[in-house]
């Protein structure tokens, strides 16, 4: 992304029609139209000195500590939904993946794949939402790319963000570090993002609008590590929800898990919507929640710290890891019975993120 | 990308049908089908200890020097073409963007957006090509992501790679560093990639097959900097070709440029194809070439160094930068006349990379 931040009236005689115009193939062609899009939209919104270098790469100062890197593609449909949009989601989601290592997220890259015909007003709204989300989270979008494909060859817009962070401590926070007896903590209510998306997609009306929980979690992670460095694993239960994440971690750690249905925080409205839709809230995506594993004798104190944070208010201990050669995830239901929480083959809802 | 590199027969009772199967929505759903795709295809091909951590991010050792970051989306159509494919292109292109700062590329992330119905054999071929290109270039693909969209909502596959590199010297190699009088050097023949793509797309037959020049250029860059640290700017002339890149650099440096038509290396076959197709080779994309700016008294020696490198054999001095408040790029034609090299609004050929 080459940013020419000084508007050049010889090169770009007219400002772009960001209100009524549409994306066309020239916007991805490497010529003047692309330069103008970068200058008048991306560079204006993401303004920072690294992006302003205007080269095909960004050069930043040395980073101390171990280097952490994560990438995610965002293909969510629709691109605007209650509580967020594809832009804020693309910032939060990648920040969160970097943060789950315990690292401080520093820089993001953003790659846009746009469908010819996309209203420039939609692109502007998404880009400004990304810029706002990045600013609030204290990360910089330092480099990017734009490609345009012909009408019908993509679905509006896809965004891929890649995050880089710095791990300044020696902790090893990973799925493989979970130990038998570790408490399982969730940072808040589950299912909000998936149900918000599905409600919007299916035009369902509930008494209260259910909003996505999309949020950056690195502040919460920092507070947790400062208070209790003996955290074994952090993971954000996105696609496939709590069910997929716990099963994945059971595989990775070689352990079983058991969670208590009554302990899992779920909003009434989300529970109701899931019943109506016939879906299991444990399998629904979250975009602003994490699960944490720590020694059981440290769990209460950690939950107290989490509850003091804006994105941890409803944190709760929901279960623990246990030896199990079959690596099964069990749910103790509110009736006192136990059932296996299945790791579904796919996702109940496609294009949730 | 969570990699479970040990095949688990309970989880995945049957191996994937990588020969006859097709991508479906479950492969992007966060469940067992996605875990199997990652395990049996991505983790197997990209095998390295960082990817094998199996978390949603990769943790690497500290990186010395300044940090360099670049991202690019690849939407090339068709995905297989003479001289490469979308996979090798996605590795080379991003390596090159990182390298144009003078940095050593270290790590890549890879984000896949797949269309439901894509043959798994095509995906396998692309992934193995990426793995091969990364191995040859000495970079590691440390983290990734896979999303699947419904049939008709993408065009086969898109890939976004993001590269991170380390800048171990104090040089400032950038468009803004070009000085009046600087020689302009090109590392080899231009137009090969674009013409190879267009020939394949239009089913054109020429006497000799024109192949894409897709190649990693960081080795060439390293040799150049070691021999001559006084390099002011490096840039790879991809989308929009030499014409767009020189115009972009004219804008960035506030200078004019003049190049000599007879000095620009172009293969006979490419020249012929361009005439036949009515396109200007100066505007055609390259994927394994760079242009360099350095003081004119150092240019001959630098060209000699470049010619000793596998991807610099046809390096040539093609012109120089000059004061020009209008920032125009001039071509001295073989007839001795001069014309302005236009910065086109878009690209002559969409989806070239």
């Amino acid at each position: 992304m080459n940013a020419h931040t000084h508007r050049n009236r010889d090169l770009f005689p007219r400002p772009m029609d960001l209100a009524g115009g549409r994306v066309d193939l020239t916007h991805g062609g490497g010529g003047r139209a692309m330069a103008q899009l970068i200058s008048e939209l991306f560079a204006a919104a993401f303004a920072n000195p690294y992006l302003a270098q205007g080269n095909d790469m960004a050069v930043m100062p040395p980073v101390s500590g171990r280097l952490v890197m994560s990438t995610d593609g965002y293909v969510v449909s629709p691109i605007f939904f209650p509580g967020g949009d594809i832009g804020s989601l693309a910032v939060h989601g990648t920040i969160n993946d970097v943060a789950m290592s315990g690292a401080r997220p520093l820089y993001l890259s953003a790659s846009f794949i746009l469908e010819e015909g996309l209203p420039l007003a939609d692109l502007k709204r998404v880009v400004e939402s990304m810029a706002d989300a990045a600013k609030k989270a204290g990360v910089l979008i330092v480099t990017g790319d734009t490609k345009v494909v012909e009408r019908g060859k993509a679905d509006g817009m896809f965004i891929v963000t890649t995050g880089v962070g710095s791990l300044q401590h020696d902790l090893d926070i990973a799925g493989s570090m979970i130990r038998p007896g570790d408490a399982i903590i969730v940072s808040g209510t589950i299912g909000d993002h998936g149900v918000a998306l599905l409600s919007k997609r299916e035009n369902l009306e509930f008494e209260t609008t259910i909003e996505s929980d999309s949020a950056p979690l690195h502040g919460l992670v920092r507070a947790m590590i400062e208070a209790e460095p003996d955290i074994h694993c952090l993971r954000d239960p996105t696609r496939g929800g709590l069910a997929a994440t716990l099963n994945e971690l059971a595989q990775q750690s070689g352990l079983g898990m058991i969670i208590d249905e009554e302990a899992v925080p779920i909003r009434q409205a989300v529970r109701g919507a899931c019943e109506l839709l016939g879906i299991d809230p444990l399998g629904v995506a979250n975009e602003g929640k994490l699960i944490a594993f720590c020694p059981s004798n440290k769990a209460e104190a950690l939950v107290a710290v989490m509850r003091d944070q804006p994105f941890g208010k409803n944190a709760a201990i929901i279960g623990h890891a246990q030896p199990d050669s079959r690596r099964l995830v069990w749910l103790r239901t509110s009736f006192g019975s136990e059932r296996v929480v299945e790791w579904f083959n796919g996702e109940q809802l496609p294009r949730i993120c």
Side-chain angles (χ1 to χ4, degrees), chain A:
Chain A
M1 188 178 278
N2 296 311
H4 304 287
T5 44
H6 303 286
R7 166 93 178 282
N8 182 321
R9 284 166 199 284
D10 288 337
L11 270 182
F12 313 133
R14 296 183 202 169
M16 293 186 74
D17 182 7
L18 289 171
R22 288 180 181 271
V23 168
D24 65 45
L25 290 171
T26 67
H27 291 120
R32 274 184 296 118
M34 191 173 88
Q36 186 169 19
L37 179 71
I38 292 169
S39 166
E40 294 177 21
L41 182 55
F42 295 111
F46 298 153
N48 65 68
Y50 307 116
L51 186 64
Q53 290 164 356
N55 299 307
D56 285 340
M57 82 303 292
V59 178
M60 280 80 66
V63 167
S64 61
R66 286 178 289 167
L67 188 78
V68 174
M69 190 172 180
S70 189
T71 191
D72 253 333
Y74 298 86
V75 299
V76 66
S77 173
I79 59 175
F80 302 106
F81 49 82
D85 56 64
I86 190 172
S88 52
L89 190 65
V91 169
H92 295 155
T94 296
I95 284 176
N96 291 348
D97 280 342
V98 170
M100 293 305 125
S101 67
R104 180 180 165 209
L106 297 171
Y107 307 116
L108 291 181
S109 64
S111 196
F112 295 83
I113 297 173
L114 308 177
E115 183 187 9
E116 180 186 21
L118 176 77
L120 282 168
D122 284 358
L123 180 60
K124 180 171 189 278
R125 189 174 153 196
V126 166
V127 166
E128 288 175 352
S129 169
M130 290 184 80
D132 185 55
K135 190 174 179 186
K136 283 181 181 150
V139 301
L140 300 175
I141 298 173
V142 294
T143 192
D145 183 54
T146 307
K147 293 291 188 309
V148 180
V149 298
E150 306 88 333
R151 204 179 287 264
K153 300 295 188 185
D155 190 18
M157 68 188 301
F158 304 141
I159 302 176
V160 173
T161 50
T162 304
V164 159
S166 142
L167 201 52
Q168 304 239 5
H169 51 68
D170 293 332
L171 306 178
D172 192 2
I173 296 173
S176 56
M177 300 303 291
I178 301 170
R179 295 289 169 262
D182 275 2
I184 307 173
I185 298 168
V186 67
S187 63
T189 57
I190 64 157
D192 302 23
H193 176 75
V195 169
L197 244 289
L198 196 61
S199 308
K200 170 84 181 176
R201 215 185 275 173
E202 308 284 327
N203 258 316
L204 298 178
E205 294 274 345
F206 299 109
E207 277 173 40
T208 53
T209 301
I210 297 167
E211 294 208 333
S212 167
D213 58 346
S214 177
L217 298 176
H218 57 310
L220 174 63
V221 169
R222 192 176 52 229
M224 290 169 68
I225 291 174
E226 277 172 14
E228 181 45 76
D230 199 7
I231 293 169
H232 293 165
C233 177
L234 297 167
R235 189 69 57 91
D236 51 340
T238 55
R239 278 181 284 182
L242 203 59
T245 303
L246 289 177
N247 271 287
E248 203 176 275
L249 291 172
Q251 292 303 323
Q252 212 181 339
S253 64
L255 297 171
M257 314 264 169
I258 180 157
I259 60 171
D260 185 345
E261 185 168 31
E262 293 197 331
V264 178
I266 306 181
R267 284 182 208 286
Q268 261 320 319
V270 169
R271 194 186 299 276
C274 284
E275 273 170 25
L276 200 75
L277 295 160
I279 58 175
D280 181 351
L282 294 179
V284 177
N286 311 281
E287 291 291 344
K289 298 291 150 39
L290 60 79
I291 56 175
F293 291 76
C294 75
S296 62
N297 62 352
K298 294 174 172 169
E300 294 283 359
L302 188 55
V303 165
V305 168
M306 293 171 73
R307 286 186 175 162
D308 276 344
Q309 293 292 316
F311 300 122
K313 289 201 189 313
N314 297 305
I317 301 170
I318 60 169
H320 63 271
Q322 59 189 10
D324 179 357
S325 60
R326 290 171 307 164
R327 308 175 183 197
L328 294 177
V329 177
W330 290 92
L331 179 77
R332 189 177 300 116
T333 70
S334 38
F335 308 110
S337 63
E338 290 187 359
R339 69 167 174 90
V340 170
V341 178
E342 253 199 281
W343 192 7
F344 296 104
N345 197 48
E347 152 73 78
Q348 302 180 80
L349 319 165
R351 301 197 45 200
I352 206 75
C353 61

